[in-house]
Amino acid sequence: APIDVTLEPDQREITVDKNEDLKVRCSAKCFPKCDVTWGKDFQVLGSNDLINLTETVFGKDLKIVNISSSYEGFYVCLVNNIHGEAKTGFTLSVRESISVKVVIGFVIVIAAIVIVMVFVIVFVIIVIVYKKYLNKKKKNDQHIRCLVEDSIYDTIDESLIGTSRNDEPRTSRDHISRNDVPGTSRDNNSRNSIQNM
């Protein structure tokens, strides 16, 4: 009978995050029992500190710990007995994981950007409010200046009116002849004529 070999998980492409672990089970239903061999890129794999090969009832498990980019490649499970051989495999890709430091740095950058934006917004609001205050103050100053000018003009007008009244021509009562005042030259002439008598 033909040899049936399967992988679990049964995927032709497997992607694992960096520093994660991967376990793949290779099973073969054959009689007599098949020999199972794992290989990578056409080279036979053996157990070491990071690769663990474990015999099972129907095959052999492959476990890779702390995966790095150097483990990327094509993995093959090869089974054979006296009746023949069969194989199946998968391509392993390693995805760079985002480290905690990178996440913290990203958060710090975002926080800094947010803080700068807040300061910019606050500064813009302060500038707008201050400009509105200056415009309002300018209008108030103009209003006060107009009031002061109107008051000054009113005072000047009143002064001019008072001066024009003082410059009006005097009446006949105000123009009394010097001869009509006692002790003037007319009285002196009369006094002289009496003394001559």
Side-chain angles (χ1 to χ4, degrees), residues 9 16 24 64 66 69 115 135 142 169 194:
V16 181
V24 180
I64 307 174
N66 195 22
S69 59
I115 292 174
N135 291 333
Q142 290 177 349
I194 292 173

Side-chain angles (χ1 to χ4, degrees), residues 103-176:
V103 173
I104 294 175
F106 182 75
V107 171
I108 291 175
V109 171
I110 295 298
I113 292 174
V114 171
I115 292 174
V116 171
M117 290 180 63
V118 169
F119 274 108
V120 170
I121 292 173
V122 171
F123 178 76
V124 171
I125 292 174
I126 292 174
V127 170
I128 293 174
V129 172
Y130 184 68
K131 284 186 176 181
K132 289 183 177 180
Y133 167 76
L134 290 180
N135 291 333
K136 185 176 181 181
K137 185 175 182 298
K138 185 177 180 180
K139 291 180 180 180
N140 291 336
D141 292 342
Q142 290 177 349
H143 181 68
I144 293 173
R145 189 181 298 110
C146 290
L147 292 176
V148 171
E149 290 178 355
D150 290 342
S151 177
I152 292 173
Y153 290 148
D154 291 341
T155 303
I156 293 174
D157 291 341
E158 291 178 357
S159 299
L160 292 175
I161 292 173
T163 303
S164 62
R165 287 179 178 176
N166 292 332
D167 293 340
E168 288 180 355
R170 296 180 180 178
T171 60
S172 58
R173 184 179 297 176
D174 294 330
H175 292 77
I176 300 176

Side-chain angles (χ1 to χ4, degrees), residues 7 9-16 22 24 73-75 89-93:
L7 295 179
D10 187 12
Q11 299 176 6
R12 295 296 174 260
E13 294 184 1
I14 298 177
T15 302
V16 181
L22 172 66
V24 180
F74 183 70
Y75 289 78
F90 66 91
T91 300
L92 175 63
S93 299

Side-chain angles (χ1 to χ4, degrees), residues 33-139:
K33 185 178 179 180
C34 292
D35 293 329
V36 180
T37 304
W38 277 98
K40 174 182 179 289
D41 298 333
F42 308 104
Q43 294 182 356
V44 177
L45 287 175
S47 295
N48 55 39
D49 293 338
L50 299 178
I51 297 178
N52 186 14
L53 300 174
T54 305
E55 293 278 352
T56 64
V57 176
F58 298 106
K60 187 178 289 186
D61 293 346
L62 168 67
K63 183 177 181 180
I64 307 174
V65 298
N66 195 22
I67 290 178
S68 64
S69 59
S70 63
Y71 288 94
E72 291 183 329
F74 183 70
Y75 289 78
V76 176
C77 177
L78 175 65
V79 298
N80 61 78
N81 64 7
I82 59 175
H83 298 294
E85 67 178 24
K87 60 183 178 181
T88 185
F90 66 91
T91 300
L92 175 63
S93 299
V94 179
R95 180 172 52 206
E96 292 289 336
S97 60
I98 301 176
S99 64
V100 176
K101 292 183 179 179
V102 173
V103 173
I104 294 175
F106 182 75
V107 171
I108 291 175
V109 171
I110 295 298
I113 292 174
V114 171
I115 292 174
V116 171
M117 290 180 63
V118 169
F119 274 108
V120 170
I121 292 173
V122 171
F123 178 76
V124 171
I125 292 174
I126 292 174
V127 170
I128 293 174
V129 172
Y130 184 68
K131 284 186 176 181
K132 289 183 177 180
Y133 167 76
L134 290 180
N135 291 333
K136 185 176 181 181
K137 185 175 182 298
K138 185 177 180 180
K139 291 180 180 180

